[in-house]
Amino acid sequence: MEKVPGEMEIERRERSEELSEAERKAVQATWARLYANCEDVGVAILVRFFVNFPSAKQYFSQFKHMEEPLEMERSPQLRKHACRVMGALNTVVENLHDPDKVSSVLALVGKAHALKHKVEPVYFKILSGVILEVVAEECANDFPPETQRAWAKLRGLIYSHVTAAYKEVGWVQQVPNATTPPATLPSSGP
């Protein structure tokens, strides 16, 4: 994967920005509205992720051959994974006041995806961008710029913790295989 000039500086900036109390409250209020419809929002996130970045499906034997969004939406395995993703996000959002808890949850997620699932960490950056898109759409009538900035900081925080877990376990970038066409991987994260 190509590095874009300035990308490392952006990642350093994302890591250094903690959420203020007002930002935490804004994220938690927005999240509460989304989490009330947890499964459907989670499915919408994953379906968009897999439609826009089909190479990500290679990590999921149960639905990697699904092409149609409606087929994905109806998949019990995808729905189950969507609930796991939303549950992990809920734990992070509910514990934004506790940096150690957030770090612990994201370290577990990162280590499992690095060691067990062998998922390239760039997919976390891509997925977090898709999450932001869905949040913005779901909360379009009440998503002011300060809330958008708070979610952007949370995205950086999540990615930073997950990639730190990858580094901790000695992650080495995997060589793309035949099912990962380079054209489907962005040259930089969104």
Side-chain angles (χ1 to χ4, degrees), residues 2-43:
E2 263 180 72
K3 282 281 185 197
V4 175
E7 184 175 350
M8 291 305 292
E9 290 80 12
I10 291 168
E11 288 183 19
R12 271 197 297 276
R13 182 180 49 84
E14 286 174 344
R15 277 194 292 274
S16 67
E17 291 186 62
E18 295 297 324
L19 275 69
S20 69
E21 183 64 25
E23 289 168 332
R24 285 194 297 270
K25 287 180 179 179
V27 166
Q28 289 169 332
T30 310
W31 179 252
R33 292 193 306 265
L34 294 172
Y35 198 66
N37 196 11
C38 168
E39 186 174 347
D40 289 338
V41 172
V43 168

Side-chain angles (χ1 to χ4, degrees), residues 58-116:
Q58 71 181 302
Y59 301 106
F60 298 91
S61 60
Q62 312 94 327
F63 42 89
K64 71 178 176 182
H65 300 294
M66 293 181 187
E67 297 297 326
E68 294 300 317
L70 190 56
E71 182 183 13
M72 288 182 220
E73 287 173 17
R74 293 179 177 161
S75 165
Q77 295 90 354
L78 187 137
R79 295 188 84 75
K80 184 178 176 183
H81 192 67
C83 288
R84 281 196 302 267
V85 169
M86 294 295 282
L89 282 169
N90 188 59
T91 302
V92 168
V93 171
E94 284 185 346
N95 289 285
L96 286 173
H97 64 281
D98 184 350
D100 291 336
K101 176 72 173 183
V102 169
S103 181
S104 172
V105 167
L106 294 173
L108 287 172
V109 169
K111 289 175 184 177
H113 283 79
L115 297 173
K116 183 177 179 186

Side-chain angles (χ1 to χ4, degrees), residues 58-187:
Q58 71 181 302
Y59 301 106
F60 298 91
S61 60
Q62 312 94 327
F63 42 89
K64 71 178 176 182
H65 300 294
M66 293 181 187
E67 297 297 326
E68 294 300 317
L70 190 56
E71 182 183 13
M72 288 182 220
E73 287 173 17
R74 293 179 177 161
S75 165
Q77 295 90 354
L78 187 137
R79 295 188 84 75
K80 184 178 176 183
H81 192 67
C83 288
R84 281 196 302 267
V85 169
M86 294 295 282
L89 282 169
N90 188 59
T91 302
V92 168
V93 171
E94 284 185 346
N95 289 285
L96 286 173
H97 64 281
D98 184 350
D100 291 336
K101 176 72 173 183
V102 169
S103 181
S104 172
V105 167
L106 294 173
L108 287 172
V109 169
K111 289 175 184 177
H113 283 79
L115 297 173
K116 183 177 179 186
H117 307 297
K118 309 283 190 235
V119 175
E120 288 287 340
V122 69
Y123 286 108
F124 280 94
K125 185 169 247 188
I126 295 167
L127 179 61
S128 64
V130 172
I131 291 168
L132 286 184
E133 289 174 10
V134 172
V135 169
E137 289 169 12
E138 293 287 326
C139 302
N141 296 330
D142 188 21
F143 201 53
E146 57 273 10
T147 302
Q148 292 173 32
R149 283 190 296 274
W151 274 95
K153 281 186 180 181
L154 179 59
R155 176 188 184 200
L157 181 84
I158 289 170
Y159 186 67
S160 172
H161 282 287
V162 168
T163 55
Y166 272 72
K167 288 176 186 162
E168 186 179 321
V169 299
W171 177 261
V172 177
Q173 184 171 355
Q174 304 298 303
V175 176
N177 61 34
T179 62
T180 311
T184 63
L185 293 176
S187 61

